[in-house]
Amino acid sequence: MHLFSENLAVELSSYYRNLALGHGVIPKVFTLVNGEGSQYLFFIDDLHMEQDQENQFLAYIVQEHEAVCYARGTLVILDKSQQLIEFAVIDQDDHEAIVCSAQLTRDMNDKPVGLTEFEKILAPKKTIFFSGLFEPIELSEDRAEEFEGLWEEMKPKILHRSMGL
């Protein structure tokens, strides 16, 4: 497993804690890191796509930026009183994924007020529904141009930085 994958899990735990408790929001997040340590992070909801097209776009981005790992996170609502923030980190060279989950507590006004520590487990990568983004995809020239244009359009909203070791 790349060191970037471990770092990404730690960072996303802090990121979600700050967003949930500091700002009261829990967005669907996607982030990737390439071999040079460049990290890109954006909100999946900003894509406004159907699930299949969204997965194609994410695979395109993973492959265009030569990612070594990526992560995707969201809020999982089991019932009104049981909500989890979950994310999985997928490493290109590992058969296991890092899966992290924390219990979210809300007050009477539905504002997030508590978050347990993120529990980290390893799970077979094939059990994660979005684990196939490293698989080569073939896109029509029009679709590739569409995705390239969307990426350019999204750049002002994308957090881009160099991940430290």
Side-chain angles (χ1 to χ4, degrees):
M1 186 165 288
H2 288 97
L3 182 58
F4 290 137
S5 296
E6 294 284 339
N7 287 347
L8 202 55
V10 170
E11 281 195 358
L12 272 180
S13 296
S14 289
Y15 185 74
Y16 267 122
R17 181 169 302 287
N18 290 336
L19 283 176
L21 300 178
H23 301 283
V25 295
I26 302 97
K28 293 178 183 174
V29 169
F30 185 82
T31 185
L32 67 87
V33 179
N34 67 18
E36 286 95 45
S38 283
Q39 179 183 8
Y40 300 89
L41 182 140
F42 58 91
F43 297 158
I44 293 173
D45 292 332
D46 288 346
L47 297 176
H48 307 289
M49 295 178 172
E50 295 295 323
Q51 184 73 42
D52 288 343
Q53 187 178 14
E54 182 180 285
N55 287 335
Q56 275 189 334
F57 176 73
L58 296 176
Y60 169 81
I61 295 304
V62 163
Q63 292 167 33
E64 260 317 285
H65 290 280
E66 299 175 350
V68 294
C69 62
Y70 63 86
R72 189 171 184 174
T74 193
L75 176 67
V76 177
I77 300 173
L78 301 174
D79 60 45
K80 182 130 177 97
S81 64
Q82 192 172 17
Q83 298 181 359
L84 305 171
I85 297 176
E86 292 187 336
F87 64 87
V89 179
I90 309 297
D91 189 294
Q92 182 178 23
D93 296 331
D94 204 309
H95 295 289
E96 293 185 307
I98 301 170
V99 179
C100 298
S101 180
Q103 176 84 36
L104 181 67
T105 306
R106 295 182 182 269
D107 66 11
M108 299 298 272
N109 298 319
D110 208 31
K111 180 182 175 208
V113 293
L115 187 64
T116 63
E117 290 300 316
F118 277 88
E119 292 183 28
K120 180 174 86 170
I121 63 167
L122 294 177
K125 186 164 52 174
K126 64 182 177 186
T127 64
I128 310 298
F129 82 94
F130 55 85
S131 65
L133 301 182
F134 287 116
E135 300 297 321
I137 59 168
E138 291 192 28
L139 299 175
S140 68
E141 192 173 313
D142 288 346
R143 181 57 61 103
E145 285 180 18
E146 176 188 337
F147 286 168
E148 188 176 322
L150 177 58
W151 183 253
E152 287 299 316
E153 187 180 306
M154 288 178 58
K155 275 190 177 176
K157 298 178 184 180
I158 297 171
L159 171 66
H160 177 224
R161 68 179 193 88
S162 182
M163 181 180 257
L165 294 175

